[in-house]
Each structure stands twice: as structure tokens, then as C-alpha cells.
Amino acid sequence: MNFEIISPTTTDELLVAIEKCQNRHFRFGAGCTDLLMELKKNPADDLTVINLAQVVDDRLTNLTKTSKLYRLGSMFTAGRIVVNDELKTHFPVLHESAHNLASTQIRQVATVGGNLCTASPSGDIACALVALGARCEMLNTNGKSRSVAVTDFFTGPRKTVLKSNEVLYGISVPLNNKETAKIYSRFIKIGTRRSMECSVVSLACHIQTDAKGVILAAGVAIGASAPTIRLAKDACSSLIGKTFKKITRKEKEEFAATVLSYASPITDIRATAWYRKEVLFNISKSIFE
Amino acid sequence: MKKELKVIGQPIPKQDANIRASGKAIYGHDIVLPGMLYGAILRTEHPSAIIESIDVSEALKLPGVVCVITADDVDVNNIGYKRDHPILKKGEACCTRDELAAVAAETKAIARQALKLIKVKYKVRKGVYDAFEALEDSAPQINQFITGKFENKNIAEKFQYGHGNLEEEKKRSRHIISRRFTLPRMTHACMATSNITASYNNLDKKLLLYSSTQVPFLYQRDMAHALKINPSDIRVIQPVIGGGFGSKLDMHPFEPICALLSMKTGRPVQIIYSREEEFIASPIRQPMIIDLTAGVDKDGHFTFREINIIKDNGAYTSWGATTPFVIMQSFSSLYKVKACSFNAMAVYTNNVFAGSFRGYGNPQATFALERVIDLLADELGMDKAGIRLLNANEKGEITGQGLHYDTCGHKECLETVIEKSNYFNHKTSGKNDRYKRGIGLASMLHVGGGAKIYRSDGCGTTLKIDPYGYCTIITGSNEIGQGSETVLAMMAAEELGIELKKIKVINTDTDVKPWDVGVHASRTSFVAGNSLLGAIRLLKEKLNSKAAQLLNIKDADFEYADNKLISGKSGERIALDKVVREMHFSEPNELAIASFFYEPSSKFQDKEFKGNVSGTYAFAAQSIEVEVDTYTGNVQVLDIYVAQDVGKVLNPLLLGGQIEGGIMQGVGYALSEELLMHEGRILNPNFHNYKMLTASDTPEIHFYPVETHDKEGPYGAKGVGEAPLIPTAAAIANAVCNALGLEMLELPITPEKVLKALDDKKKRKK
């Protein structure tokens, strides 16, 4: 493995570095937990890695809160999500997705931005962010930013809307509704072992109810079940107005069937498509149990 | 009166824990010799192909490449248990590991680059990847080096055994159960990848090898045969070994290849496997199909067992082919059984070949046997604990195969785990309908005092005490992480009354240490321990007589404590170092040194595989509780209760390590670990998809040692290393079946297999 490394220390330097690499084969290195494995598998001789780890910029590395949202810099690590009580309280799904990622050691370097930009159909934090209705903020070499919903960020396995002159700068997660009295928010990860596991199937849900238990908002996303992480929109909208605790068995199964309609899983060495569908149906039901 | 033990039985940390934990241990990977080259191996692209040509000319032109060899460049013998394995392959490739060429270069990167420049012309042919297919007449002969001893061209090895009157016992049986069990490929996944550094001195024609073999003296002999040189011209030094588990019992082609590169270049050469290469090219646990038919009489006594096993040998024959030695023991002698008929054969295929792996066939046998015992109990309407206790082995028993159980903790192990796990009152349901709980029992029998499979199962020790009162144990045995150095040092500390820090263990150099057969069959503490105790006895005779002379007393019966010899009668004392100095420097000017060779009382088995093959036998039982998620098929192992007849606990800390480590290998075997293959290629040569369990998957392990004080063992101890892994998969399978009310006939019990079994059950009901 042999590649060139550019290690900018400011965001301006970062943008210059990206500009400089426009005619080169380059990749971003954030926590490098996926990148190193990929490079080992497919070594590229002419590669430049733009190392994001040395950039000093609060907007890139920290968590901020406004009246409408939490904003995570794309270099915010999984480990910092795990220990953040505010995120744990408001978005358990995000906390759980980070907590179930790889191992304690890897979580200290693995970043939110990396999890998104890898665009793996089985990305855990990415799946939670889709369920939370988060948005990606991208910065281009002219210093201009644009944003898209995380659900629209992915265009295929390992493919995103990120242009060659852009870097993922931050991710914003909308605050829960003001009327929300209770949240049912979980990340369900299915695999063989409890750590160092890549999801065989995953389901992220973030459901908000009012004081009476009536569902105000719902986000349900599925991972490792389609070429990209998918938001099960119809399944989400079918829940609005229903009382969470009064959902009948029939409604549960209809909901699970709707979630399943978003899945088009493959058979690979980790599981068959049959297994992925069976489990996805079962765990979709389990949200209400 | 029994002497009170001061050191033996204490939880003393592993003596090499400090260097291992601090990174100061020198593994094979850390060795750098002056002028050393780096070797790399080109393996076939196709598991089955005619090799039409190998062109190395471009590789040789690459700057930094010093040597490239193929089969045409070397004059060597085949290796392997059946000598059916060419070191470098010529003319054909028979499995995905096949070594076609090797390079020695100035750097690792150049060596790897050179491999890409070697051009091989293949004529791909259809391979045989199924053992039953290989037995068909139409199948091609897979290995060209076999002698044709058996009725089918693709049979590598056969074992037949029997005792009792099978037909009569069948007639007498109230119930008979027949099942086919399928066992997977599991790999050792040692922390340290395979490695070797070879340094050939072409002036004196001597070969120095830094090798992580488990059996240095057999290795020395095998290497000499392979390279056509004198065994004594080979010196094997073992650096710190990062995991063995049986994988280093066979010598593998990369080792003589490395030696050949050094012989060709006259420079040291090192070969280190990448992790991917480790998964592809290191040995595995034998995959096999076990057909087991077993019967029980009306009272629940086992009547007979009839076993047919087909083992997928892969393309070449390793020690793994001999696992039926151990497998037949469990079928013939675990629980009392009147009759047994056992047939096993290893069949060549174009798959990767197996090797030796902790348990040596026993986890496979125990899985099949203990599953069928549960089914027999169900048929009889008898409880599963009761049927086991009724048939359990006993002290004094001589089994149908001729194993002598001079001590036997089988029943006590079973009783212990049944009680401790609250077997009869365990919870059957989880927190809701989704989760089902079950409990499973299994026990095991394994050799506990070595296994006489070679002409000698012995071990030599040379012991010396220096003029400062420090002791050096030069032992034939090896440390491969199991803690033998610590246990031997503890024995010397106990017997000689000196502190552990004054004891050194020398065990890594074949030029220095006396002969030993190697690390296998859970034998080291037993055999090397007895050997050391023998040497201590001899040395004490010398020291005692000198001490008596110095004290001017007639009595030569001394106790050794606090670095002193203390007269048993008068209580007079003299410092140990002083006695040694007086021996050395005055009459009789003798060294305080003694050598002893211990040979266990075990016997070679006869042609019918009957005979008392081990110095003693170990027993264990496990009771395991699981919770199965019927939504996902995940099996969560909740608690493992394990009782093991260890003879005597020598060091509870090290024993606990063996128990926990072994059990986790067993849990992996039960639930997640499988090297997946398709048409001879390995699909998951990485930790990402080879699902070795992690610390967070570790259940609660409750361990209860059972001490039966075997008179043959050092302080009464038996071998402990392999036993913890052996019944685990069987007990887990029994627990899963108990939880779900269905049968699992195949390992590993993956979530998908569980869900599929539940789905099939549902469909059958409809």
C-alpha cells in the first residue's frame, strides 16, 4: 500500500487541497477505519489521501445546538456520540447505532462523516440519521455549501451525491417536536456477534408521541436490505395519528409488510435474501412489542 | 502424612505474562537477522488445474529479487503424514493452497511484486469438492502419491474398530436412533500468523530455523527428510509462539520452502503469512459427516453404537487424518456401552486439507454422541440428566477399547453441573413469547496423560542448580502459550524450596534441550511435570548426601524450604547454595545437575486399536443455558457451568485461562465459526466474515474443578488443555434443541439455520 498524504490543518487549506486534487485520484481519510481495509484490498498506486484528522475547525469536529437542530461536524466520532448524554436523551436511535458500531477502540476514530461517505448499505450511524430525518451539509472548494437530506445522499452502494470538489462538512439533526412527550427510538442491529459486526439487517426507528401516546412523527429506516439505506416512508406515514400502545397485531403486521416492501436484499455469504426479509419483518413488528 | 503444598495450587500469574503484555516478547515476526531476505509464495489461481508451465524469468529480472524457485529447482522429498504432499507442486494444482513458486527478495514489497511477474499457464479442470463424489468410480484420482492401499483410489486413511456383540445388542435395544451429523471447517485463527526464519550456513552445511512448531523434534526429523539432510544438522529455535491449538503439529510446505530459499541464497530468509494467507493456507479442523446409530435398553442403559464417518481429507494428508484415534475413544468409551462398531475414512478432495486442532476430532464425536443421547432419552421418556448419570463411567472401569480408568470424575462432573446449573428447575421462557430458553448437558472423555501415538510419549529434563542457589530447568517440552513454563517452575519451587524468581526454564532450542514428543494430547503438564519431578528426585539424592556429609550426620532425609535443606530428624539446616558450592568446588567436584527421561505407563494400541493409550484420562461435563430469539434466530449463551476432572489443580489461574479460552473456542464452533468454501475456494479469509466471537459475546462461565488425584500425574494432576472445548458445542446444541423443540444436526448453529428450522417446523405443522 503506497499513497500520498496531504494533511491540511485549516478548512481553507482543506479546500485548497481538494482543489489541487481535482485532476488526481483522491480519497478523504477521516477515521480511516474503512479506507485502510479498502486500500489493502485494492491498492491504488496513484492515490492521494486527504487526511481530515489534522484540520482544526469546530464546525468540522464538534457538536452545536440551535433552536431547530443539533449539528454534528462530519469529524464527530462515534465514541463522542456514545458518551453524549444530550444525544442519548433526545435521539436514542443515534446513540444505539454508535454504541453498536465495531468496538470501543474503533469508535474512538470512526466518524459520522466517514460512516455516511462510505455509503455502505449496512452503515449503522447512517441508518439512524436517515430515520432521524437528518441533512448533510457539503462544502465546495469555492467555500459554498449546499445540503441534502441524508436519505437522498446515497445514490447506490458506495455512491453518494458528493461532487469531486466537495467535502461533507456537517450533519444536522432536527430537534424533536415541541409537543413530543415520549419517544420510541431504537436501533436494532442483527448480526452474529455483539461487537466487530457488520449489520446483516438493521432497522432504525424514531417515533415521537404526544402526551396521550398519539404518534406525531415517525422515522423508520432499514439497512443492509437494499442497495442503499432506505427510509420506509409509507410505513412512517401509516403511523401518524395512531396511538402507539394501541397498535393492533394486524396493524403491526401491515406496518412490517410495508417496511418490507422497501427491501430488496441480496444473498451473500453473511445471509440469504430470505433470512434478511424474514428478520426485517420480525424486527419491524417488534418495535411495538 | 501428606506434605503440605506451598506453591502448587496457588494462583500464580504466568511467568511470561509481563513480556507478553508489555510487547517485549520476541515473536517470529520480530526476528531480523543480518542480511536477511524476505520470502513470498505464489499459490495456484485455481483449486484444480494442470500446470502447463511456470515462467519466472520476469520475476528474476526485478531488481532486489535474489532467488526464485519452483519444483524444478529443488531436490526434495514429499512431506505430510502419508508423504503425499510435494513441497512445491509440479504439473498440477490440487487445492487452493498449492505452492507453485517462491521468491526471496531484499524487501517484502519486492518479493510480493515479483510474485505478480511469475507467469503460470493453467489448464483448468473440474475439481472434486465433495467426499462422496470423490468415492464414485467416475471420480479422478486426486492425489498421485498414494500407495493404493485401500479399495478406492481416493481413500487416504481408514480406521476400523469394534467391541462387543453388535447384533445381539441391537436386538436387545428398546429404542434405536439414527442420525447424520455434519461438521464444519473451523480454523485456529492464531493471533500470530504463521512465520519462519531460516538461516543456512553453506560453510558448515547447518540449518538454523526460528520456527513456531509445537513439536520441534518431530519437526527436525520431518524437515531433514524433506530436505534430504541430516536431522542433527538442523537446529530449531522456537521464538515466543502466538497461538498453536494444534495448528503447528504438522510441518507445512512454507517451512521447507523457506529453508530451501536460504539454502539457495546462502542468506537468512523469513516468511510471514498475511492474515488472509493465514486463513487460506493454515490447517483447519476436519470437516466430516458422522452417521451414528445408537441404542438403549428398556432401563436406559446404552446398548450399542454404530458409527460411519466420512472425513473430507482435502488434497493432502496431514496428522488430521488420524483424528479417528480420538474419535473412536469417545464412541467406544464415553459412558458405558456394550458394543461399538466404528468405521472412519478420510477421503481426498480438491478442498483445503485439514490438520490437527485442539480436541483432535473429539468435539465432532461428542456433538454427535451427546445429541443422540438426548434423543434416546426423549424416546424412553427419561430425563436427560438421569440417562447420563445411569451410564456414566466409573473408577476402576476398563472400557471395551481397553482404556483403564484408574481415576474417573465423570459422574461427579455431571452431578456438579446438574446441581450448580439448577438443571431441573431452569427457566423455560424468556421475557416474552419471542424468546425461548433451554438448557443442555454434555460430557466428554479425553486423554489426560499424553497419548502413545509415537514410539515414545516421553519427555526429558536436565536440571541444574548453580553455586548461587538458582535453578535451571532444561526441559524437552515447549511453551506455546499454555503456561507450561510457569507450572514447571512452580513444581521446582515446591520441591526445592526456592523462590520462583530463582528458577529459569530453558525450552526453546533443540541443540540444548533433551527429547520430547511435543505439545499435543493435553500432555505437557503431565509428562514434562513427571519428567521434572524425576530429575528433582535424582538431584536431591546428590544434594542430600553432600548435605549430610557437611552436617556430619547420618540421616540424609532432608526437607527443602527457604533455600535450605533441613534435616527431617535433627532439624539441622544448611543453605542450598552452600551445598552446591561444596559439591562443585571440593570433593567430589561434581556438578549439581541431573537428567531424567520420563516415559508414561501408556501402551501402544494393537492393530485393533485396543489398549491403554494414555497415562490417565480426563473427564468433564458442561451444562449450558441459552436463550433463542425466535425473531432473528440468534442464540445467546447465558451461563456455562463446567466441571472438569483435572486430577489436581496445579494453578487455578492458568487452569481458569484454559477453561475460558477453550470454552470460547467451543462456543464459536457451536454458533458462528465456519470457513466457507465454494468449489475449493475460501470465501471468508478474514475476521470480518469469519465470525470468531469477541469478549462481548462471552457468557458467564462457572467453573468447578473436580480433583480425583491420579496416582500417575504430577501431584495427581491430569491434562486439561483440550477438554474445555470438547463438550461445549454439544451442550449448546442440546440447549437450543431443548428451547425450540426441534433438531439441529449441523454446526455451526447460525441465526439463519435456527430461523430456517423454525420455519420448517411451522410449515410441517400446517
Side-chain angles (χ1 to χ4, degrees):
Chain A
M1 203 182 336
N2 204 2
F3 48 82
E4 237 184 86
I5 286 197
I6 306 177
S7 291
T9 55
T10 65
T11 302
D12 285 344
E13 280 177 25
L14 167 63
L15 298 181
V16 170
I18 300 170
E19 183 64 41
K20 225 172 96 184
C21 287
Q22 284 308 295
N23 295 319
R24 283 197 241 168
H25 176 207
F26 80 97
R27 297 287 303 270
F28 290 113
C32 294
T33 58
D34 280 332
L35 186 67
L36 282 178
M37 267 166 58
E38 195 188 314
L39 294 183
K40 208 169 170 186
K41 214 168 166 185
N42 304 307
D45 290 337
D46 58 346
L47 180 73
T48 303
V49 172
I50 300 179
N51 172 27
L52 300 175
Q54 306 293 325
V55 180
V56 180
D57 176 355
D58 280 353
R59 304 266 305 154
L60 192 68
T61 52
N62 284 353
L63 176 73
T64 47
K65 189 185 173 186
T66 69
S67 58
K68 287 182 180 158
L69 52 82
Y70 279 96
R71 184 186 178 285
L72 293 87
S74 63
M75 288 295 286
F76 201 70
T77 62
R80 288 176 71 190
I81 293 178
V82 173
V83 297
N84 189 294
D85 287 339
E86 256 180 275
L87 293 177
K88 189 178 174 182
T89 306
H90 298 297
F91 312 117
V93 63
L94 182 63
H95 170 84
E96 288 175 20
S97 72
H99 198 227
N100 284 314
L101 187 93
S103 66
T104 308
Q105 294 91 330
I106 290 174
R107 288 197 289 272
Q108 306 317 307
V109 289
T111 63
V112 179
N115 201 268
L116 287 166
C117 292
T118 291
S120 160
S122 53
D124 289 341
I125 294 176
C127 190
L129 290 171
V130 169
L132 287 168
R135 292 184 73 80
C136 294
E137 180 191 345
M138 294 160 282
L139 195 61
N140 73 11
T141 48
N142 298 322
K144 290 206 171 118
S145 69
R146 66 171 178 130
S147 82
V148 296
V150 175
T151 184
D152 298 325
F153 184 69
F154 308 112
T155 55
R158 314 260 159 212
K159 286 189 187 132
T160 70
V161 298
L162 200 69
K163 292 179 185 153
S164 75
N165 68 339
E166 289 177 327
V167 62
L168 181 63
Y169 197 36
I171 299 96
S172 50
V173 184
L175 299 188
N176 291 328
N177 289 4
K178 287 212 171 74
E179 303 81 40
T180 294
K182 188 161 169 62
I183 46 172
Y184 297 88
S185 180
R186 286 171 67 192
F187 184 73
I188 304 171
K189 175 170 179 163
I190 305 302
T192 310
R193 49 189 177 199
R194 284 193 228 162
S195 46
M196 295 307 289
E197 187 62 295
C198 174
S199 291
V200 170
V201 180
S202 61
L203 184 136
C205 74
H206 188 70
I207 299 169
Q208 304 173 45
T209 70
D210 66 13
K212 288 179 182 160
V214 177
I215 296 172
L216 302 171
V220 176
I222 57 174
S225 309
T228 62
I229 292 161
R230 300 194 71 178
L231 179 69
K233 270 188 203 157
D234 292 347
C236 301
S237 52
S238 75
L239 295 177
I240 307 297
K242 286 183 178 150
T243 304
F244 189 91
K245 290 206 165 155
K246 288 185 181 163
I247 286 176
T248 63
R249 187 176 165 177
K250 187 165 166 268
E251 285 172 324
K252 255 191 325 192
E253 293 194 348
E254 280 169 5
F255 167 80
T258 311
V259 172
L260 198 58
S261 71
Y262 285 86
S264 52
I266 53 161
T267 291
D268 61 16
I269 63 163
R270 292 185 295 125
T272 62
W274 174 84
Y275 177 78
R276 290 188 158 104
K277 283 183 177 174
E278 285 286 308
V279 170
L280 187 57
F281 183 84
N282 288 343
I283 60 176
S284 299
K285 274 194 316 190
S286 79
I287 295 173
F288 307 101
E289 291 173 351
Chain B
M1 206 183 84
K2 253 191 184 171
K3 200 182 129 195
E4 194 188 322
L5 297 173
K6 290 180 182 153
V7 186
I8 294 297
Q10 297 302 311
I12 289 165
K14 234 168 151 284
Q15 297 293 285
D16 58 349
N18 51 1
I19 60 156
R20 293 222 183 206
S22 63
K24 289 196 169 121
I26 308 291
Y27 291 87
H29 308 64
D30 301 316
I31 290 169
V32 181
L33 299 180
M36 187 172 86
L37 300 171
Y38 296 87
I41 292 169
L42 180 74
R43 297 178 196 279
T44 179
E45 280 175 35
H46 306 282
S48 180
I50 302 290
I51 307 294
E52 292 185 328
S53 65
I54 304 175
D55 177 2
V56 302
S57 55
E58 290 301 313
L60 277 168
K61 282 182 206 157
L62 185 70
V65 170
V66 179
C67 174
V68 183
I69 54 172
T70 67
D72 287 334
D73 305 306
V74 295
D75 174 22
V76 290
N77 284 318
N78 280 356
I79 64 170
Y81 165 72
K82 287 264 171 188
R83 303 279 187 244
D84 63 355
H85 192 173
I87 295 166
L88 284 158
K89 282 68 179 174
K90 184 181 167 75
E92 63 173 350
C94 295
C95 90
T96 194
R97 289 181 190 153
D98 274 6
E99 299 80 0
L100 304 184
V103 173
E106 299 288 352
T107 68
K108 286 181 199 171
I110 295 171
R112 278 198 296 270
Q113 181 62 25
L115 294 185
K116 291 183 190 157
L117 299 175
I118 299 174
K119 294 187 195 82
V120 182
K121 262 196 193 162
Y122 298 93
K123 193 173 160 196
V124 178
R125 60 187 182 189
K126 193 172 168 284
V128 182
Y129 305 109
D130 177 83
F132 291 98
E133 202 183 302
L135 289 171
E136 286 171 13
D137 290 343
S138 56
Q141 181 170 333
I142 290 158
N143 187 297
Q144 306 306 323
F145 303 98
I146 49 168
T147 53
K149 192 170 133 194
F150 302 111
E151 70 275 14
N152 183 293
K153 58 188 174 292
N154 284 328
I155 296 177
E157 186 60 289
K158 271 180 86 163
F159 291 84
Q160 276 183 315
Y161 164 81
H163 77 250
N165 188 331
L166 194 74
E167 292 313 312
E168 199 172 284
E169 291 301 321
K170 276 187 183 176
K171 273 187 223 152
R172 229 169 51 75
S173 299
R174 167 69 65 91
H175 297 286
I176 293 177
I177 294 277
S178 286
R179 288 291 185 276
R180 169 166 286 190
F181 297 96
T182 306
L183 286 311
R185 293 183 178 82
M186 181 193 197
T187 189
H188 308 74
C190 297
M191 290 270 277
T193 56
S194 298
N195 62 86
I196 183 168
T197 306
S199 179
Y200 184 70
N201 181 334
N202 47 18
L203 299 176
D204 64 9
K205 313 289 181 205
K206 292 211 187 323
L207 178 63
L208 170 62
L209 299 171
Y210 294 90
S211 159
S212 47
T213 175
Q214 292 177 222
V215 288
F217 290 100
L218 300 188
Y219 183 88
Q220 184 188 40
R221 181 203 62 174
D222 287 350
M223 184 69 78
H225 178 263
L227 301 176
K228 301 185 176 179
I229 60 176
N230 188 331
S232 295
D233 285 335
I234 301 172
R235 178 180 180 190
V236 181
I237 294 179
Q238 294 161 291
V240 175
I241 296 172
F245 311 112
S247 64
K248 291 152 175 80
L249 198 67
D250 281 285
M251 184 180 75
H252 302 287
F254 78 96
E255 295 168 289
I257 285 174
C258 191
L260 286 164
L261 289 170
S262 179
M263 290 162 92
K264 292 273 175 194
T265 58
R267 290 167 64 175
V269 180
Q270 184 172 76
I271 292 180
I272 295 175
Y273 277 9
S274 67
R275 181 54 67 183
E276 188 181 11
E277 204 171 14
E278 184 75 14
F279 272 105
I280 291 171
S282 57
I284 50 170
R285 189 183 293 290
Q286 291 73 17
M288 59 182 75
I289 306 279
I290 302 178
D291 288 320
L292 170 61
T293 302
V296 67
D297 70 12
K298 63 178 181 13
D299 302 319
H301 293 105
F302 298 146
T303 48
F304 78 96
R305 291 172 191 152
E306 196 172 19
I307 306 100
N308 280 297
I309 298 178
I310 302 284
K311 293 155 49 102
D312 183 338
N313 194 53
Y316 309 102
T317 312
S318 68
W319 275 108
T322 68
T323 49
F325 269 123
V326 175
I327 297 174
M328 72 171 73
Q329 259 168 40
S330 290
F331 283 118
S332 76
S333 304
L334 176 59
Y335 303 98
K336 291 173 199 151
V337 61
K338 293 259 170 26
C340 176
S341 165
F342 176 93
N343 282 288
M345 62 168 90
V347 180
Y348 286 112
T349 66
N350 291 114
N351 289 321
V352 291
F353 49 95
S356 139
F357 197 152
R358 193 178 194 177
Y360 214 72
N362 211 347
Q364 294 96 313
T366 303
F367 168 65
L369 179 58
E370 289 285 358
R371 256 314 15 250
V372 161
I373 290 174
D374 267 19
L375 299 174
L376 288 169
D378 283 343
E379 285 290 315
L380 268 175
M382 196 169 172
D383 82 72
K384 294 173 177 102
I387 198 169
R388 287 178 167 86
L389 289 169
L390 178 70
N391 290 283
N393 297 115
E394 285 176 320
K395 184 179 172 180
E397 187 183 338
I398 298 176
T399 74
Q401 204 184 346
L403 315 182
H404 292 231
Y405 296 159
D406 295 334
T407 53
C408 174
H410 191 196
K411 201 174 254 178
E412 195 179 337
C413 287
L414 278 164
E415 283 166 348
T416 303
V417 297
I418 289 164
E419 184 207 323
K420 298 289 182 186
S421 66
N422 206 9
Y423 181 82
F424 290 108
N425 296 306
H426 77 97
K427 273 171 85 177
T428 51
S429 54
K431 50 183 178 271
N432 57 38
D433 271 0
R434 172 177 170 178
Y435 299 95
K436 308 281 182 203
R437 283 198 180 191
I439 194 162
L441 275 175
S443 60
M444 77 99 224
L445 150 74
H446 203 71
V447 292
K452 191 151 280 180
I453 53 161
Y454 191 71
R455 282 187 67 193
S456 164
D457 193 29
C459 174
T461 305
T462 295
L463 184 72
K464 69 165 190 174
I465 301 180
D466 71 15
Y468 313 102
Y470 277 56
C471 167
T472 303
I473 302 164
I474 306 169
T475 172
S477 66
N478 319 293
E479 172 70 44
I480 65 163
Q482 81 278 47
S484 71
E485 287 171 354
T486 307
V487 167
L488 293 177
M490 286 168 70
M491 289 180 189
E494 181 73 55
E495 297 301 322
L496 294 169
I498 56 180
E499 306 95 306
L500 276 170
K501 65 176 185 194
K502 291 187 175 176
I503 298 167
K504 301 170 221 180
V505 180
I506 305 293
N507 55 358
T508 58
D509 188 342
T510 54
D511 269 8
V512 174
K513 65 181 190 173
W515 196 85
D516 172 76
V517 80
V519 179
H520 78 109
S522 304
R523 69 187 280 284
T524 302
S525 289
F526 185 94
V527 180
N530 277 336
S531 176
L532 170 64
L533 292 177
I536 290 172
R537 266 195 309 276
L538 294 179
L539 189 57
K540 276 186 172 180
E541 283 172 20
K542 291 187 187 180
L543 293 165
N544 288 355
S545 102
K546 186 69 195 176
Q549 184 200 346
L550 290 170
L551 291 171
N552 203 18
I553 55 177
K554 278 191 186 150
D555 175 39
D557 179 20
F558 289 96
E559 266 183 42
Y560 286 66
D562 304 329
N563 303 297
K564 291 180 185 69
L565 283 76
I566 304 156
S567 164
K569 277 189 186 157
S570 65
E572 285 179 88
R573 52 191 61 204
I574 183 165
L576 176 66
D577 56 340
K578 183 173 166 61
V579 177
V580 174
R581 281 197 299 273
E582 292 303 317
M583 264 175 80
H584 280 192
F585 305 131
S586 65
E587 289 290 335
N589 295 112
E590 191 183 11
L591 293 169
I593 194 160
S595 289
F596 186 76
F597 186 72
Y598 171 75
E599 185 66 41
S601 61
S602 51
K603 298 271 183 316
F604 247 141
Q605 286 177 326
D606 61 20
K607 280 185 184 158
E608 294 177 331
F609 298 110
K610 285 183 182 161
N612 194 27
V613 73
S614 180
T616 183
Y617 299 87
F619 300 85
Q622 295 183 10
S623 178
I624 300 184
E625 198 175 4
V626 303
E627 184 171 89
V628 186
D629 181 346
T630 60
Y631 277 16
T632 65
N634 273 78
V635 176
Q636 195 188 344
V637 178
L638 301 171
D639 284 279
I640 296 188
Y641 297 86
V642 50
Q644 187 170 319
D645 172 5
V646 299
K648 158 84 187 163
V649 178
L650 297 175
N651 180 329
L653 203 57
L654 266 60
L655 177 58
Q658 288 280 17
I659 299 290
E660 289 174 17
I663 281 177
M664 281 314 285
Q665 268 179 331
V667 177
Y669 190 50
L671 298 178
S672 63
E673 290 188 47
E674 181 172 16
L675 212 52
L676 299 164
M677 291 196 78
H678 179 66
E679 299 205 328
R681 294 176 200 275
I682 292 169
L683 304 177
N684 54 341
N686 50 61
F687 283 123
H688 193 62
N689 287 318
Y690 182 85
K691 300 292 181 185
M692 215 171 162
L693 296 175
T694 68
S696 55
D697 300 297
T698 309
E700 283 295 320
I701 296 170
H702 313 267
F703 172 49
Y704 310 95
V706 169
E707 295 192 319
T708 51
H709 303 281
D710 198 278
K711 67 175 180 0
E712 295 284 325
Y715 306 95
K718 300 180 174 187
V720 300
E722 292 167 279
L725 145 88
I726 292 167
T728 307
I732 289 175
N734 283 345
V736 171
C737 298
N738 175 246
L740 302 177
L742 44 73
E743 283 197 46
M744 302 303 295
L745 300 170
E746 203 179 290
L747 294 179
I749 302 170
T750 60
E752 177 146 2
K753 284 182 197 163
V754 172
L755 218 53
K756 190 81 189 35
L758 284 168
D759 191 54
D760 290 347
K761 191 182 167 191
K762 218 190 299 172
K763 281 178 185 154
R764 277 198 305 274
K765 270 193 182 167
K766 279 180 188 167

